[in-house]
Amino acid sequence: MPELPEVETTKRGIAPHIMQQRIENIIVRQNQLRWPIPTEIKKKLLNETITDVERRAKYLLIKTTKTTIIIHLGMSGTLRILEKQVKTKKHDHFDLVFADKLLRFNDPRRFGSILLAKNEELNQHPLLLHLGLEPLSKEFNGQYLWHCAQKKRVVIKSLLMDHHIVVGIGNIYAAEALFAARIYPASAVNVLTLQQFNLLARSVKTILKKAIEKGGTTLKDFMNSEGKPGYFANQLKVYGRAGLPCLNCKAILQSMIVNQRNTVFCPKCQPFIR
DNA sequence: CAGAATACCTGCGGGC
DNA sequence: TGCCCGCAGGTATTCT
């Protein structure tokens, strides 16, 4: 589910409800997520006040005076703001309880994670330390991508999804950005021109921004903090449309496996070049 | 060492 | 109806 726009949507949804709120209780129903929820979480966070809510890559960073909660939604995680009396459902693994609301983490596949870091050590946290650029930052541009490509012998879709290089782009937005930039997903990075990298970087930014405006993409189960879907799915031009006509040229969209993942593209708009 | 494959989970749709 | 298979938006870890 969640790529950068979905995590950003979640962040914007929860922040106003939890900022400056004191944590009155913490409930862990299932601590076997991708990594176990730290056993000391209650000791570290009880009665602390939320001072900040940030996003880095696909990680949500919920800060208190001393400790930051690092949350990753994995493939199927959602965070919702709920009234305290709302009954739990299957896969509701974790609650942060405030004065009159609670923040509830639900994650059927349990690929998500909830971890802690001391504020002063946050930047050194192993999960955050080696992350690449934020795609919406000024530093992320065609020149940067081109520069990264010179050291690599991979295909362009892998480069886009490599979070050591640029963060937040998953299978959906990689496919969409490559279509927008008219680049064949399995192109070796060394055959692409600087001009193509420029267009690709611009496409990434445009698509992510639009997706954030629409509240993210809901294919199956993404929900924002109010339990509502995002509306970018109906703007997807290639993802999930294999066998249907290209919205640009009417050629039949094809799919192939790149990096173990299904990848849809237009054979005419994104021609194979070698 | 870079790049590719694997593993971690549950749920769902399709085929039989 | 029900069982089995394959696949799903992520990414650290293990393999080659």
Side-chain angles (χ1 to χ4, degrees):
Chain A
M1 155 206 330
E3 303 185 33
L4 188 147
E6 292 74 41
V7 180
E8 181 66 25
T9 297
T10 300
K11 186 203 106 171
R12 293 181 186 186
I14 67 173
H17 293 100
I18 67 173
M19 281 291 283
Q20 305 305 327
Q21 297 291 305
R22 190 174 63 89
I23 300 172
E24 294 197 343
N25 197 9
I26 294 166
I27 300 167
V28 177
R29 299 183 192 84
Q30 163 66 277
N31 85 332
Q32 295 301 304
L33 303 182
R34 171 146 202 177
W35 294 284
I37 297 176
T39 47
E40 70 275 19
I41 192 164
K42 222 168 167 172
K43 201 174 82 183
K44 289 273 175 66
L45 292 177
L46 214 54
N47 294 319
E48 294 292 320
T49 296
I50 308 296
T51 57
D52 257 313
V53 182
E54 296 171 6
R55 179 191 58 74
R56 171 72 173 113
K58 294 173 189 167
Y59 294 96
L60 274 166
L61 307 174
I62 299 179
K63 300 192 149 189
T64 67
T65 323
K66 294 175 200 155
T67 307
T68 299
I69 315 169
I70 304 172
I71 300 181
H72 197 292
L73 301 177
M75 288 261 251
S76 56
T78 54
L79 282 171
R80 293 188 62 181
I81 299 288
L82 295 168
E83 301 297 327
K84 287 167 91 166
Q85 72 275 13
V86 173
K87 278 191 221 155
T88 57
K89 295 184 178 163
K90 204 173 179 182
H91 309 303
D92 281 342
H93 304 316
F94 176 84
D95 288 352
L96 276 186
V97 185
F98 301 98
D100 54 24
K101 292 275 170 67
L102 60 79
L103 180 69
R104 181 163 287 168
F105 178 73
N106 179 290
D107 184 11
R109 289 174 74 179
R110 287 193 273 133
F111 286 174
S113 52
I114 295 175
L115 299 169
L116 299 176
K118 288 181 185 169
N119 286 352
E120 62 269 26
E121 293 171 9
L122 183 62
N123 291 333
Q124 299 306 309
H125 192 281
L127 291 176
L128 305 181
L129 190 55
H130 301 291
L131 292 175
L133 292 182
E134 285 290 331
L136 297 178
S137 69
K138 210 167 108 188
E139 294 74 27
F140 175 75
N141 55 34
Q143 183 73 40
Y144 168 79
L145 263 189
W146 177 86
H147 179 76
C148 293
Q150 302 316 300
K151 300 172 274 189
K152 300 286 247 176
R153 307 196 68 81
V154 292
V155 301
I156 187 61
K157 189 188 178 212
S158 306
L159 192 80
L160 262 193
M161 291 177 69
D162 181 347
H163 53 253
H164 296 103
I165 292 174
V166 54
V167 300
I169 304 170
N171 206 36
I172 297 176
Y173 297 110
E176 295 299 312
L178 287 164
F179 173 76
R182 307 177 66 91
I183 296 171
Y184 181 70
S187 307
V189 289
N190 61 2
V191 305
L192 299 176
T193 62
L194 177 58
Q195 207 173 16
Q196 286 180 300
F197 281 113
N198 282 333
L199 179 55
L200 182 57
R202 283 203 305 275
S203 302
V204 164
K205 287 174 195 277
T206 306
I207 287 166
L208 293 180
K209 279 184 200 161
K210 275 191 195 160
I212 292 169
E213 276 175 30
K214 297 284 178 184
T217 298
T218 296
L219 295 177
K220 207 173 65 183
D221 45 20
F222 174 70
M223 293 292 167
N224 67 19
S225 62
E226 296 177 335
K228 294 184 179 154
Y231 297 101
F232 194 70
N234 53 23
Q235 315 236 346
L236 297 175
K237 296 213 162 75
V238 286
Y239 183 89
R241 298 195 66 247
L244 297 173
C246 174
L247 297 171
N248 218 13
C249 75
K250 304 207 168 54
I252 299 300
L253 297 179
Q254 295 183 6
S255 68
M256 63 180 162
I257 303 295
V258 181
N259 274 13
Q260 318 290 101
R261 287 190 177 272
N262 197 30
T263 307
V264 184
F265 67 102
C266 173
K268 204 166 154 193
C269 297
Q270 300 165 268
F272 173 62
I273 303 166
R274 62 176 222 99

Coordinates of all heavy atoms in Angstrom, one line a residue, chain A residues 38-76:
Chain A
P38 N 9.3 -2.5 20.9 CA 10.1 -2.5 22.1 C 9.3 -2.7 23.4 O 8.3 -2.0 23.6 CB 10.8 -1.1 22.0 CG 10.7 -0.7 20.6 CD 9.5 -1.3 20.1
T39 N 9.8 -3.5 24.2 CA 9.1 -3.8 25.5 C 9.0 -2.6 26.4 O 8.1 -2.5 27.2 CB 9.7 -5.0 26.2 OG1 11.1 -4.8 26.3 CG2 9.4 -6.3 25.5
E40 N 10.0 -1.7 26.2 CA 10.1 -0.6 27.1 C 9.2 0.6 26.6 O 9.3 1.7 27.2 CB 11.5 -0.1 27.4 CG 12.2 0.5 26.2 CD 12.8 -0.5 25.2 OE1 12.4 -1.7 25.2 OE2 13.7 -0.1 24.4
I41 N 8.4 0.4 25.7 CA 7.7 1.5 25.0 C 6.8 2.2 26.0 O 6.7 3.5 26.0 CB 6.8 1.0 23.8 CG1 6.3 2.2 23.0 CG2 5.7 0.1 24.2 CD1 5.9 1.9 21.6
K42 N 6.2 1.5 26.9 CA 5.3 2.2 27.9 C 6.1 3.1 28.9 O 5.7 4.2 29.1 CB 4.5 1.1 28.7 CG 3.1 1.5 28.9 CD 2.2 0.3 29.4 CE 0.9 0.9 29.9 NZ -0.1 -0.2 30.2
K43 N 7.2 2.5 29.3 CA 8.0 3.2 30.2 C 8.6 4.5 29.6 O 8.7 5.5 30.2 CB 9.2 2.3 30.6 CG 9.9 2.7 31.9 CD 10.9 1.7 32.3 CE 12.2 1.9 31.6 NZ 13.2 0.9 31.9
K44 N 8.9 4.4 28.3 CA 9.5 5.5 27.6 C 8.5 6.6 27.3 O 8.9 7.8 27.2 CB 10.2 5.1 26.3 CG 11.5 4.2 26.6 CD 12.7 5.2 26.7 CE 13.9 4.4 27.0 NZ 14.4 3.5 25.9
L45 N 7.3 6.2 27.0 CA 6.3 7.2 26.4 C 5.1 7.6 27.3 O 4.5 8.7 27.0 CB 5.8 6.6 25.1 CG 6.8 6.4 24.0 CD1 6.1 5.8 22.8 CD2 7.4 7.8 23.6
L46 N 4.8 6.9 28.3 CA 3.7 7.2 29.1 C 3.8 8.6 29.7 O 4.9 9.0 30.2 CB 3.5 6.2 30.3 CG 2.1 5.9 30.7 CD1 1.3 5.4 29.5 CD2 2.1 4.7 31.7
N47 N 2.7 9.4 29.6 CA 2.7 10.8 30.0 C 3.5 11.8 29.3 O 3.6 12.9 29.6 CB 3.0 10.9 31.5 CG 2.0 10.2 32.4 OD1 0.8 10.3 32.1 ND2 2.4 9.4 33.4
E48 N 4.2 11.3 28.2 CA 4.9 12.2 27.4 C 4.0 12.9 26.4 O 2.9 12.4 26.2 CB 6.0 11.5 26.5 CG 7.1 10.9 27.4 CD 8.0 11.9 28.0 OE1 8.3 12.9 27.3 OE2 8.4 11.7 29.2
T49 N 4.4 14.1 25.9 CA 3.5 14.9 25.1 C 4.1 14.9 23.6 O 5.3 15.0 23.5 CB 3.4 16.4 25.6 OG1 2.8 16.3 26.9 CG2 2.6 17.2 24.7
I50 N 3.2 14.8 22.7 CA 3.7 14.8 21.3 C 4.1 16.2 20.9 O 3.3 17.2 20.9 CB 2.5 14.3 20.3 CG1 1.9 13.0 20.8 CG2 3.0 14.3 18.9 CD1 2.9 11.8 20.7
T51 N 5.3 16.4 20.4 CA 5.8 17.7 20.1 C 5.9 17.9 18.6 O 5.9 19.1 18.1 CB 7.2 18.0 20.7 OG1 8.1 16.9 20.2 CG2 7.2 17.9 22.2
D52 N 5.9 16.9 17.8 CA 6.1 17.0 16.4 C 5.7 15.7 15.7 O 5.8 14.6 16.2 CB 7.6 17.2 16.1 CG 7.9 18.6 15.7 OD1 7.2 19.2 14.9 OD2 8.9 19.2 16.3
V53 N 5.2 15.9 14.4 CA 4.9 14.7 13.6 C 5.6 14.9 12.3 O 5.3 15.9 11.6 CB 3.4 14.5 13.4 CG1 3.2 13.2 12.6 CG2 2.7 14.3 14.7
E54 N 6.5 14.1 11.9 CA 7.3 14.3 10.7 C 7.2 13.0 9.8 O 6.8 12.0 10.3 CB 8.7 14.6 11.0 CG 8.9 16.0 11.7 CD 10.3 16.2 12.3 OE1 11.2 15.4 11.9 OE2 10.4 17.2 13.0
R55 N 7.7 13.2 8.6 CA 7.8 12.0 7.7 C 9.2 12.1 7.1 O 9.7 13.1 6.7 CB 6.8 12.1 6.5 CG 7.0 10.9 5.6 CD 6.2 11.1 4.3 NE 6.5 12.3 3.6 CZ 7.6 12.5 2.8 NH1 8.5 11.5 2.7 NH2 7.8 13.6 2.2
R56 N 9.9 10.9 7.1 CA 11.2 10.8 6.4 C 11.1 9.5 5.6 O 10.8 8.4 6.1 CB 12.4 10.7 7.4 CG 13.7 10.3 6.7 CD 14.2 11.5 5.9 NE 15.6 11.2 5.4 CZ 15.9 11.0 4.1 NH1 15.0 11.1 3.2 NH2 17.1 10.7 3.8
A57 N 11.2 9.6 4.2 CA 11.0 8.5 3.4 C 9.6 8.0 3.6 O 8.6 8.7 3.7 CB 12.0 7.4 3.6
K58 N 9.4 6.7 3.9 CA 8.1 6.1 4.2 C 7.9 5.9 5.7 O 7.0 5.3 6.2 CB 7.8 4.8 3.5 CG 7.8 5.0 2.0 CD 7.7 3.6 1.3 CE 7.9 3.8 -0.2 NZ 8.2 2.5 -0.9
Y59 N 8.8 6.5 6.5 CA 8.7 6.4 7.9 C 8.0 7.7 8.5 O 8.2 8.8 8.1 CB 10.1 6.4 8.6 CG 10.9 5.1 8.2 CD1 11.8 5.1 7.2 CD2 10.6 4.0 8.9 CE1 12.5 4.0 6.8 CE2 11.3 2.8 8.6 CZ 12.3 2.8 7.6 OH 12.9 1.7 7.2
L60 N 7.1 7.4 9.4 CA 6.4 8.5 10.2 C 7.2 8.6 11.5 O 7.5 7.6 12.2 CB 5.0 8.1 10.5 CG 3.9 8.4 9.5 CD1 2.6 7.7 9.8 CD2 3.7 9.9 9.4
L61 N 7.5 9.8 11.8 CA 8.3 10.1 13.0 C 7.4 10.9 14.0 O 7.1 12.1 13.7 CB 9.6 10.9 12.7 CG 10.4 10.2 11.6 CD1 11.6 11.1 11.2 CD2 10.9 8.8 12.1
I62 N 7.0 10.3 15.1 CA 6.2 10.9 16.1 C 7.0 11.2 17.2 O 7.6 10.3 17.9 CB 5.0 10.0 16.5 CG1 4.1 9.8 15.2 CG2 4.1 10.7 17.6 CD1 2.9 8.9 15.5
K63 N 7.2 12.6 17.5 CA 8.2 13.0 18.5 C 7.6 13.4 19.8 O 6.6 14.0 19.8 CB 9.1 14.1 17.9 CG 9.8 13.8 16.6 CD 10.8 14.8 16.3 CE 12.0 14.2 15.6 NZ 13.1 15.1 15.4
T64 N 8.3 13.0 20.9 CA 8.0 13.5 22.2 C 9.3 14.3 22.6 O 10.2 14.4 21.8 CB 7.7 12.4 23.2 OG1 8.8 11.6 23.4 CG2 6.5 11.6 22.7
T65 N 9.3 14.8 23.8 CA 10.4 15.6 24.3 C 11.7 14.8 24.2 O 12.7 15.4 23.7 CB 10.2 16.0 25.7 OG1 8.8 16.3 25.9 CG2 11.0 17.3 26.1
K66 N 11.7 13.6 24.6 CA 13.0 12.8 24.6 C 13.1 11.7 23.5 O 14.1 11.4 23.0 CB 13.2 12.1 25.9 CG 13.4 13.1 27.1 CD 13.4 12.3 28.4 CE 13.1 13.2 29.6 NZ 12.6 12.5 30.7
T67 N 11.9 11.1 23.2 CA 11.9 9.9 22.4 C 11.1 10.1 21.1 O 10.0 10.8 21.1 CB 11.2 8.8 23.2 OG1 11.9 8.7 24.4 CG2 11.3 7.5 22.5
T68 N 11.5 9.5 20.0 CA 10.8 9.5 18.8 C 10.2 8.1 18.5 O 11.0 7.1 18.6 CB 11.7 10.0 17.6 OG1 12.1 11.3 17.8 CG2 10.9 9.9 16.3
I69 N 9.0 8.0 18.1 CA 8.4 6.8 17.7 C 8.5 6.7 16.2 O 8.1 7.6 15.4 CB 6.9 6.7 18.0 CG1 6.6 7.2 19.5 CG2 6.3 5.3 17.8 CD1 5.2 7.4 19.8
I70 N 9.2 5.6 15.7 CA 9.4 5.5 14.2 C 8.4 4.4 13.8 O 8.4 3.3 14.2 CB 10.8 4.9 14.0 CG1 11.8 5.9 14.6 CG2 11.0 4.7 12.5 CD1 13.3 5.3 14.5
I71 N 7.5 4.9 12.9 CA 6.4 3.9 12.4 C 6.5 3.7 10.9 O 6.6 4.7 10.1 CB 5.0 4.5 12.7 CG1 4.9 4.7 14.2 CG2 3.9 3.6 12.2 CD1 3.5 5.2 14.7
H72 N 6.6 2.5 10.5 CA 6.5 2.2 9.1 C 5.2 1.4 8.8 O 4.9 0.5 9.6 CB 7.7 1.3 8.6 CG 7.9 1.3 7.2 ND1 7.1 0.7 6.3 CD2 8.9 1.9 6.4 CE1 7.5 0.8 5.1 NE2 8.6 1.6 5.1
L73 N 4.5 1.7 7.8 CA 3.2 1.0 7.5 C 3.4 -0.3 6.7 O 2.4 -1.0 6.6 CB 2.3 2.0 6.7 CG 2.0 3.3 7.4 CD1 1.1 4.2 6.5 CD2 1.3 3.1 8.8
G74 N 4.6 -0.6 6.3 CA 4.8 -1.8 5.6 C 3.9 -1.9 4.3 O 3.8 -0.9 3.6
M75 N 3.3 -3.0 4.1 CA 2.5 -3.2 2.9 C 1.0 -2.9 3.2 O 0.2 -2.6 2.3 CB 2.6 -4.6 2.3 CG 3.9 -4.9 1.7 SD 3.9 -4.8 0.0 CE 4.0 -6.5 -0.4
S76 N 0.6 -3.1 4.4 CA -0.8 -3.1 4.6 C -1.2 -2.3 5.9 O -2.3 -2.4 6.4 CB -1.4 -4.5 4.8 OG -0.6 -5.2 5.8

